[in-house]
């Protein structure tokens, strides 16, 4: 059993005329990710921490096979994201708070539909559905159309549906973004359980407290570059008082200084 390995990936995007006008720039291209490398191991949560626009979401989308890096490669359970994307997708889940479910369907129908897409047999599907729906309190709303669910229940339904195939690698972009306190706690507790069950979990976030609550290791990404990647305790130890916030802002200041002198 192998880990999730990101090896020297780079991703560049073209800026549209509208984007250039909004950002008051003449740049036609932007490097979103600059030679990123790190490893996420089974049985741990790896946090990609950085400000908005740092390249976190781009990195996770590359890992999840949604977009292709211009350079480098990513290996999940020994399989290349670039060369074996279909096989990779069988063992990953990509979750985001922006995931939209079709308003017309019910949680019950959607869970069954996506289970069948993954080739899951009826008995296994029903067992997993009962477990997930009970855990997240979806069972009471199983036949309610998505349009009529609360935002928190929609998010919990999305989480359950994304994990119908019980993947070993879970990739979650901003896991608590836009969630109420109770739903956020439910999501965090569940991801911690998945870690303890031996899953490899990668999250992206700009919230320091989320990293401190959840992560075993952390990588700090600024302007598309990974400034540091290590055990959370070792990263915090870079500050005399063990303050992750101080480490983060010191790296931000150093990065700003490098840009000013470039």
């Amino acid at each position: 059993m192998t880990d999730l390995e990101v090896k020297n990936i780079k991703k560049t995007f073209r800026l549209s005329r509208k984007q250039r006008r909004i950002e008051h720039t003449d740049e036609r291209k932007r490097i979103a990710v600059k030679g990123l490398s790190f490893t996420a191991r089974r049985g741990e949560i790896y946090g990609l921490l950085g400000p908005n626009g740092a390249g976190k979401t781009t990195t996770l989308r590359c890992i999840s096979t949604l977009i292709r890096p211009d350079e480098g490669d990513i290996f999940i359970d020994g399989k290349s994201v670039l060369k074996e994307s279909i096989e990779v997708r069988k063992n990953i889940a990509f979750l985001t708070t922006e995931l939209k479910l079709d308003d017309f369907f019910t949680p019950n129908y959607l869970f069954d539909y996506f289970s069948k897409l993954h080739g899951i047999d009826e008995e296994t599907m029903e067992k997993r559905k009962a477990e997930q729906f009970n855990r997240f309190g979806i069972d009471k709303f199983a036949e309610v159309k998505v349009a009529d669910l609360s935002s928190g229940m929609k998010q919990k339904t999305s989480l359950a549906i994304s994990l119908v195939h019980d993947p070993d690698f879970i990739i979650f972009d901003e896991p608590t973004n836009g969630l109420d306190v109770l739903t956020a706690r439910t999501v965090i507790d569940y991801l911690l359980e998945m870690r303890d069950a031996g899953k490899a979990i990668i999250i992206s976030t700009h919230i320091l407290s989320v990293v401190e609550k959840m992560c075993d290791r952390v990588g700090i990404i600024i302007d598309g570059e990974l400034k540091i990647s290590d055990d959370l305790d070792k990263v915090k130890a870079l500050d005399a008082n063990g303050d992750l916030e101080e480490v983060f802002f010191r790296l931000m200041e150093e990065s700003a200084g490098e840009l000013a002198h470039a």
Side-chain angles (χ1 to χ4, degrees):
M1 293 180 23
T2 56
D3 302 319
L4 187 157
E5 299 176 274
V6 177
K7 294 189 174 183
N8 199 35
I9 64 168
K10 178 181 177 182
K11 183 63 182 176
T12 302
F13 292 104
R14 291 185 179 276
L15 296 181
S16 67
R17 184 177 299 176
K18 182 179 180 181
Q19 286 174 305
R20 297 199 301 270
R21 186 170 63 251
I22 292 172
E23 298 182 22
H24 305 289
T25 180
D26 294 325
E27 293 180 358
R28 293 184 177 273
K29 291 183 180 180
R30 176 161 301 159
I31 302 175
V33 177
K34 307 171 184 176
L36 223 65
S37 297
F38 64 86
T39 299
R41 307 183 186 110
R42 293 174 187 263
E44 74 170 18
I45 297 178
Y46 183 96
L48 202 57
L49 172 66
N52 291 333
K56 303 186 302 296
T57 296
T58 298
T59 300
L60 296 195
R61 288 180 180 274
C62 287
I63 294 170
S64 304
T65 77
L66 296 179
I67 58 176
R68 291 173 65 91
D70 303 327
E71 298 177 10
D73 203 346
I74 300 153
F75 296 89
I76 297 179
D77 208 19
K79 297 179 177 65
S80 165
V81 163
L82 296 182
K83 299 175 183 177
E84 302 168 272
S85 59
I86 293 175
E87 287 302 310
V88 165
R89 288 174 193 146
K90 294 177 182 178
N91 205 19
I92 65 171
F94 178 60
L95 302 98
T96 169
T97 51
E98 295 180 358
L99 178 64
K100 304 299 181 187
L101 301 174
D102 194 309
D103 283 347
F104 180 78
F105 297 112
T106 65
N108 196 40
Y109 174 87
L110 288 168
F111 194 97
D112 290 358
Y113 177 78
F114 283 101
S115 294
K116 290 171 183 175
L117 276 184
H118 281 283
I120 297 167
D121 64 82
E122 193 86 15
E123 183 179 352
T124 302
M125 178 183 75
E126 291 299 333
K127 180 181 178 182
R128 286 181 185 166
K129 181 165 59 176
E131 290 172 351
Q132 298 288 63
F133 279 24
N134 180 62
R135 167 186 291 278
F136 295 119
I138 302 169
D139 44 2
K140 300 173 184 176
F141 304 92
E143 293 298 339
V144 176
K145 288 183 179 180
V146 168
D148 298 321
L149 297 176
S150 68
S151 58
M153 189 55 62
K154 286 178 183 177
Q155 178 62 12
K156 287 185 279 191
T157 301
S158 296
L159 180 60
I161 290 169
S162 297
L163 299 171
V164 293
H165 55 309
D166 192 27
D168 289 327
F169 299 87
I170 300 170
I171 302 130
F172 207 150
D173 192 17
E174 299 284 358
T176 61
N177 193 34
L179 300 182
D180 63 78
V181 174
L182 291 177
T183 304
R185 179 61 183 265
T186 300
V187 169
I188 289 173
D189 287 348
Y190 185 66
L191 290 176
L192 290 172
E193 282 189 37
M194 292 298 95
R195 176 199 66 187
D196 293 343
K199 309 289 188 183
I201 300 170
I202 300 178
I203 68 166
S204 75
T205 185
H206 62 280
I207 304 172
L208 293 156
S209 61
V210 169
V211 172
E212 297 200 86
K213 284 179 184 176
M214 297 180 64
C215 297
D216 303 286
R217 292 196 304 127
V218 61
I220 296 178
I221 181 173
I222 300 170
D223 294 323
E225 295 185 56
L226 197 63
K227 298 297 182 179
I228 191 169
S229 178
D230 210 334
D231 294 344
L232 177 60
D233 289 342
K234 291 180 180 178
V235 173
K236 291 171 68 174
L238 295 175
D239 176 72
N241 297 314
D243 191 328
L244 181 61
E245 183 176 9
E246 288 300 318
V247 175
F248 178 74
F249 281 107
R250 187 191 313 154
L251 290 171
M252 287 283 292
E253 289 169 2
E254 290 173 0
S255 180
E258 290 169 5
L259 288 174
H261 291 92

